Amino acid sequence: MSEKFVSSKAPEPVGLYPHARRVGNLLFLSGVGPRQKGSKEIPGVTLDQDGNITDYCIETQCRSVFDNIRWILEESGSSWDQLVDVQVFLTNMKDDFKTYNKIYAEYFADNQPCRTTIEISSLPTPIAIELKCIATIDE
């Protein structure tokens, strides 16, 4: 049996899926990007009139993603300290990894979950980073 969670603070999913799903004492988060709830604007992203990225700030996007993850975790009954696995998807590993890794170290100084970082050619929305996480949740 599993339970679905949708955060009231994180951005709405861009498809038919919940923010998180609990199975036993594990919480599986769907991919989370830097968008903000109730806004078409994406923090750290400048788009042209056709919706193509003209400029972006990976630091701003990272901080926004981490905030979104924290809200989903907390509203689902878990917490930042209960993260056990993080998959990171970057669209530009060469240019963005160093900055991303520096910010990641700030947010994960105390809790250090397992991590995989993968470069992909694009994401479903015009963003440069997305995280997929697994956390424990108290029974």
Side-chain angles (χ1 to χ4, degrees):
M1 186 75 123
S2 67
E3 180 180 3
K4 293 188 267 185
F5 296 95
V6 176
S7 169
S8 65
K9 296 179 182 178
E12 298 81 0
V14 295
L16 186 60
Y17 56 87
H19 284 126
R21 201 165 185 116
R22 176 184 181 160
V23 178
N25 73 333
L26 293 177
L27 185 68
F28 298 86
L29 275 64
S30 295
V32 178
R35 293 179 305 110
Q36 293 183 323
K37 184 167 183 75
S39 175
K40 300 272 187 213
E41 307 258 330
I42 301 170
V45 177
T46 305
L47 302 174
D48 65 17
Q49 62 189 19
D50 297 322
N52 300 307
I53 299 172
T54 59
D55 192 30
Y56 71 94
C57 174
I58 193 64
E59 180 171 351
T60 301
Q61 287 193 52
C62 286
R63 293 185 189 283
S64 185
V65 169
F66 295 157
D67 288 344
N68 288 338
I69 296 288
R70 187 179 308 274
W71 287 325
I72 293 167
L73 289 168
E74 289 173 359
E75 289 188 272
S76 301
S78 188
S79 69
W80 193 259
D81 293 337
Q82 291 177 273
L83 282 166
V84 295
D85 188 64
V86 176
Q87 291 182 12
V88 182
F89 302 94
L90 295 174
T91 60
N92 188 340
M93 186 81 72
K94 182 180 175 198
D95 292 342
D96 296 342
F97 183 80
K98 184 176 179 181
T99 301
Y100 151 74
N101 205 40
K102 178 185 73 128
I103 296 161
Y104 186 96
E106 289 174 25
Y107 281 78
F108 288 95
D110 297 324
N111 178 30
Q112 297 173 357
C114 295
R115 181 182 88 178
T116 303
T117 306
I118 305 159
E119 182 179 43
I120 58 173
S121 61
S122 67
L123 288 159
T125 59
I127 59 177
I129 183 171
E130 182 175 280
L131 266 65
K132 172 116 178 76
C133 305
I134 301 172
T136 58
I137 190 168
D138 297 329
E139 295 270 351

